[in-house]
Amino acid sequence: MRIWIASLAILASIASGAPAMAKSTAAILAISWQPAFCEGNGSKPECGTQTKDRFDADHFALHGLWPVKGDYCGVSADLQALDKAGDWMKLPALDLSGDLKTALATAMPGMQSGLDRHEWIKHGTCTRFTPENYFQTAIDLLQQVNGSAVQKVFAGSIGKQLTSAEIGKAFDDAFGNGASKRIKISCVADGSRQLIDEITIGLSDQYAPGSSMETLIDGAGSTDIGCDGGIVDAVGNQ
């Protein structure tokens, strides 16, 4: 029924001479498979402290929530330079509530390297949110992925190969048909192995605390799926 209605809308727009409206992606949620990330970043504090029973050993970790247009909105040149230098713990600490800070420390192990400060300075400042609402939105969305078939497929494939088709099906099962057309898979080389290290997910402009991932994905534009698959890395191989 949905496809039929959409087809009628396209035909109507052609008949009237007006172009069909394309869905646009307003933001991207970037989620990391931390064991793979740590293969090439073993010196980072969050990698040195990673254990097999830590949350990010078998769940996705938060990298960031990125508006498609704009970086460093209203940020001084001095702060931009400090951020780009890469020592993010020198950036201003964020004023977050205690509960959110605790949740973020679990969801984003990169906080140990100041990733939260970097993500706010570069990306969060270009949203309509306060730091509190920005990170609450990101955590809400991450939790929906980690509570879905997507996380189950990854957790059940640790140490094994996972194809883009299998990942795409998990997204479709979790968030509706077509969700697989709104994700991009990133892989990294580790010797002779190809590891899945990150997935980026397109979102519509309605993202906010408590938003439905299914609705946001459905409202986003499509993209190429990227990497054709790789190994779901386990903790402790680096």
Side-chain angles (χ1 to χ4, degrees), residues 54-235:
R54 201 169 74 179
F55 181 80
D56 54 288
D58 57 4
H59 291 77
F60 290 99
L62 177 63
H63 181 171
L65 177 61
W66 308 332
V68 170
K69 295 182 179 179
D71 291 332
Y72 299 113
C73 296
V75 177
S76 69
D78 287 347
L79 272 182
Q80 289 188 44
L82 190 60
D83 180 70
K84 292 173 183 177
D87 189 357
W88 297 332
M89 292 304 290
K90 293 180 179 178
L91 293 170
L94 300 175
D95 184 16
L96 302 176
S97 65
D99 287 347
L100 180 58
K101 191 176 295 184
T102 298
L104 191 59
T106 298
M108 180 186 271
M111 276 185 74
Q112 297 176 48
S113 298
L115 178 60
D116 56 325
R117 305 179 190 195
H118 160 72
E119 290 297 317
W120 170 253
I121 287 288
K122 185 173 183 181
H123 302 292
T125 54
C126 295
T127 67
R128 58 189 181 276
F129 298 134
T130 63
E132 183 85 8
N133 285 343
Y134 172 71
F135 284 108
Q136 187 62 65
T137 300
I139 286 178
D140 287 351
L141 295 173
L142 177 72
Q143 288 176 339
Q144 291 179 63
V145 178
N146 276 330
S148 77
V150 179
Q151 184 275 335
K152 289 181 175 63
V153 165
F154 269 75
S157 302
I158 293 174
K160 303 174 185 176
Q161 188 81 16
L162 198 57
T163 68
S164 59
E166 291 169 323
I167 297 169
K169 181 181 184 304
F171 268 91
D172 286 341
D173 289 346
F175 303 113
N177 290 336
S180 57
K181 299 184 185 300
R182 276 82 173 171
I183 66 169
K184 184 178 287 291
I185 302 165
S186 170
C187 296
V188 293
D190 179 54
S192 62
R193 302 189 306 160
Q194 178 165 282
L195 308 177
I196 301 168
D197 74 323
E198 185 159 274
I199 298 176
T200 50
I201 306 166
L203 308 173
S204 76
D205 63 1
Q206 299 303 305
Y207 61 96
S211 297
S212 160
M213 175 67 86
E214 182 172 354
T215 300
L216 295 178
I217 289 177
D218 184 60
S222 61
T223 186
D224 181 86
I225 203 163
C227 172
D228 60 2
I231 294 171
V232 181
D233 201 26
V235 170

